[in-house]
Amino acid sequence: MSGTYINLPGATIHTVRFGPTAADQPDLVAVHGLGGSAYNWMDLARTLDRGILAIDLPGFGFSPPSRRHSPEAFTTVVIELLEHLSRPITLLGNSMGGLVSMQVASRRPDLVERLVLIAPATRPAGRVMPSRLTVPARLLAQSLPGLGPSLTRLLQLKLTPVEQVRMTLELICSDHRSVSVEAVREMTVIAQQRRNYPWAIKAFHQSIQATGLTISARERFDAMTAGIEAPTLLLYGSQDPVVEPAWMAALGAQHPGWRTVIMDGIGHIPMLESPAWTAEIIESWFASQAA
């Protein structure tokens, strides 16, 4: 496992390579969610045993900020990275990173061989409201002009990095104790370091706002997903408190050609809550694609 920076036309991004073949040609490119980092994929990479190039989106992890922090801007960065790799590849995305991955696959089908979506940010379905409002309410508060950045700063003042990571995992996981000690340690190191970055809160705040706007544009969102040509695996947890499971079920039903798997008893980050099970689902799907 090693971290390095890649200079792209529109951004400089920090990347981490995992797995046996990662030194040269990765099998997958992994895109984290809101507030996440490349290290969100470390436990899955150990179990999946494939070369993974995991990235820190601009303004997250150890990547410097860019002019804009939005799914659209991040989509451009990921496209530039895939062009840099010079070959089609499997794209793996969680939460906001899942939304970015869908947009990349829709905009540049020539660059995406396969698409793996883990609890992707998706638009509301029909009149179904979130069954658990704690996380959506907090995200809404943190997206508000003025209040959002102030609330994030207040949380940093009141909580140590250890407490901050624990609170986040308690909010988004079905059982936060299922996340490995090693993964929690990396998250804590990053949380500590990011307190020294003057742009970190701004990047987080802008990303929340922009993601909300992207998924609320129903017709544009549906047109985007309709443009996805790559074989797609959609998997999500039945206990996800961030993205309503009924919305993800509706996304899967809208695309019957996709493989949709629901993970019973799992929350918003299956690759950290149950990396072995997540890897098993992905490998089984890969095998079915090769058959």
Side-chain angles (χ1 to χ4, degrees):
M1 181 175 67
S2 62
T4 188
Y5 286 86
I6 297 177
N7 294 316
L8 300 170
T12 296
I13 58 171
H14 176 258
T15 67
V16 181
R17 294 176 181 267
F18 301 99
T21 63
D24 298 313
Q25 294 290 335
D27 300 306
L28 305 96
V29 168
V31 188
H32 64 77
L34 182 70
S37 79
Y39 292 97
N40 287 172
W41 305 100
M42 59 187 295
D43 289 348
L44 177 65
R46 290 194 187 104
T47 310
L48 197 59
D49 197 33
R50 289 176 181 263
I52 296 179
L53 178 63
I55 71 172
D56 286 338
L57 292 168
F60 291 90
F62 296 120
S63 287
S66 58
R67 287 183 300 172
R68 294 187 304 126
H69 303 94
S70 68
E72 287 70 27
F74 298 149
T75 295
T76 298
V77 171
V78 175
I79 287 173
E80 290 176 353
L81 174 64
L82 298 186
E83 289 176 336
H84 173 78
L85 295 175
S86 301
R87 65 187 178 89
I89 202 164
T90 296
L91 197 56
L92 171 64
N94 169 240
S95 194
M96 181 184 72
L99 173 61
V100 170
S101 298
M102 286 190 285
Q103 292 190 154
V104 172
S106 180
R107 190 186 302 178
R108 290 295 302 274
D110 58 306
L111 296 176
V112 181
E113 182 180 26
R114 292 175 296 197
L115 186 61
V116 180
L117 305 172
I118 301 180
T122 187
R123 69 166 176 81
R127 297 183 179 181
V128 178
M129 296 297 292
S131 56
R132 285 154 291 197
L133 295 176
T134 302
V135 178
R138 176 176 165 179
L139 290 174
L140 176 61
Q142 288 184 289
S143 72
L144 296 175
L147 176 62
S150 298
L151 177 59
T152 304
R153 290 190 189 94
L154 179 62
L155 289 173
Q156 287 189 350
L157 289 173
K158 293 183 62 176
L159 302 174
T160 67
V162 172
E163 292 168 338
Q164 178 185 341
V165 169
R166 181 183 176 90
M167 183 187 71
T168 300
L169 292 176
E170 287 177 344
L171 280 172
I172 67 175
C173 296
S174 175
D175 180 1
H176 73 279
R177 295 166 297 184
S178 62
V179 180
S180 73
V181 172
E182 293 83 1
V184 172
R185 184 183 303 119
E186 291 293 346
M187 293 177 200
T188 304
V189 168
I190 294 170
Q192 176 66 67
Q193 185 64 42
R194 286 181 61 78
R195 294 183 178 211
N196 300 319
Y197 298 159
W199 38 261
I201 291 177
K202 180 180 179 180
F204 184 76
H205 175 64
Q206 289 181 345
S207 298
I208 295 177
Q209 284 188 315
T211 298
L213 290 172
T214 298
I215 63 175
S216 65
R218 179 181 181 127
E219 292 184 2
R220 185 181 302 173
F221 182 93
D222 287 348
M224 179 270 292
T225 61
I228 296 173
E229 300 176 4
T232 300
L233 169 65
L234 168 66
L235 62 94
Y236 61 93
S238 66
Q239 301 300 313
D240 192 324
V242 181
V243 181
E244 173 57 42
W247 298 355
M248 286 185 279
L251 177 63
Q254 190 177 2
H255 299 278
W258 295 5
R259 172 79 169 113
T260 300
V261 179
I262 183 168
M263 301 176 70
D264 189 43
I266 300 297
H268 188 57
I269 45 174
M271 69 285 188
L272 284 166
E273 295 176 68
S274 186
W277 189 9
T278 304
E280 181 183 345
I281 294 169
I282 293 174
E283 288 289 6
S284 175
W285 182 68
F286 283 169
S288 71
Q289 290 296 303

